């Protein structure tokens, strides 16, 4: 039972940290921009996952083992919250053309929740197959890949009207071979 209480405390602290550090996004999302927030947070999410993964090499008998893993997971939550937490939903609400916005947003949320479920169910199996260090390193690599894809393909939407965003979406569709 004590392990269950410890896990509840860790998860509760992580949730509180994520909630606390999501508040800066409320003020900065329109000032700094959605794309910049994503480009700032993904590399930091990557190094915190790598650091947490490498902490598994510390012997379990050491008091630093669990403490450092927890610290880096907390830091991951802190850097996740202002960028990757709220920005994808805000961006999805703006990025779809006006005539498809409801369908696009519902599809984006559905895909997000589906892959969150896949991650929740699949991470323990992945961690057992390639060790916790390998699993966290894999996700750190995916974060860096996501940062690269955001840099290459995600336009900034800050300080633009919905009509301007609609025009940008039409240009993107034409650029990538739409028949319209």
């Amino acid at each position: 039972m004590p392990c269950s209480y410890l896990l509840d405390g860790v998860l509760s602290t992580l949730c509180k940290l994520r909630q606390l550090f999501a508040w800066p996004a409320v003020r900065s999302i329109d000032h700094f921009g959605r794309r910049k927030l994503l480009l700032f947070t993904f590399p930091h999410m990557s190094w915190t996952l790598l650091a947490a993964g490498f902490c598994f090499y510390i012997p379990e008998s050491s008091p630093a083992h669990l403490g450092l893993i927890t610290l880096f997971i907390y830091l991951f939550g802190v850097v996740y919250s202002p960028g990757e937490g709220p920005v994808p939903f805000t961006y999805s609400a703006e990025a779809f053309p006006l005539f498809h916005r409801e369908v696009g947003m519902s599809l984006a949320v559905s895909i997000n929740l589906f892959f969150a479920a896949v991650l929740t169910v699949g991470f323990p199996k992945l961690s057992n197959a390639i060790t916790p260090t390998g699993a966290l390193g894999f996700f750190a690599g995916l974060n860096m890949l996501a940062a690269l894809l955001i840099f290459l393909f995600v336009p900034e939407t800050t300080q633009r009207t919905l009509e301007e965003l609609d025009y940008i979406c039409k240009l993107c569709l034409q650029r990538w071979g739409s028949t319209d």
Side-chain angles (χ1 to χ4, degrees):
M1 270 328 235
C3 185
S4 173
Y5 291 122
L6 177 65
L7 183 60
D8 287 345
V10 167
L11 291 176
S12 174
T13 303
L14 182 61
C15 289
K16 289 174 185 171
L17 281 171
R18 286 185 54 200
Q19 185 177 19
L20 176 68
F21 283 92
W23 279 106
V26 172
R27 304 239 351 141
S28 63
I29 200 166
D30 284 326
H31 180 69
F32 293 119
R34 291 112 173 93
R35 184 174 187 265
K36 288 178 186 171
L37 277 173
L38 290 175
L39 289 173
F40 174 78
T41 56
F42 269 101
H44 291 294
M45 289 166 37
S46 185
W47 75 259
T48 56
L49 285 175
L50 279 175
F54 287 133
C55 287
F56 279 95
Y57 288 123
I58 299 172
E60 287 187 31
S61 60
S62 172
H65 174 79
L66 189 58
L68 285 174
I69 292 171
T70 306
L71 171 71
F72 286 114
I73 295 299
Y74 283 165
L75 287 175
F76 174 84
V78 165
V79 297
Y80 171 93
S81 298
E84 184 57 21
V87 172
F89 294 102
T90 305
Y91 197 88
S92 296
E94 297 172 340
F96 291 104
L98 289 174
F99 55 92
H100 292 307
R101 187 151 292 148
E102 300 87 6
V103 174
M105 186 61 192
S106 64
L107 193 61
V109 170
S110 298
I111 291 169
N112 182 304
L113 294 177
F114 172 76
F115 281 104
V118 168
L119 177 63
T120 302
V121 172
F123 184 79
K125 292 179 184 179
L126 180 66
S127 183
N128 287 336
I130 63 172
T131 73
T133 301
L136 291 173
F138 173 72
F139 287 112
L142 287 179
N143 279 328
M144 291 308 294
L145 176 63
L148 176 67
L149 292 173
I150 290 166
F151 179 77
L152 293 175
F153 299 113
V154 175
E156 182 58 73
T157 62
T158 301
Q159 302 299 325
R160 298 185 190 254
T161 65
L162 292 178
E163 290 77 17
E164 289 173 324
L165 292 175
D166 195 34
Y167 178 72
I168 290 170
C169 290
K170 285 181 184 177
L171 287 178
C172 289
L173 287 174
Q174 288 171 359
R175 180 178 175 191
W176 295 106
S178 174
T179 58
D180 292 338

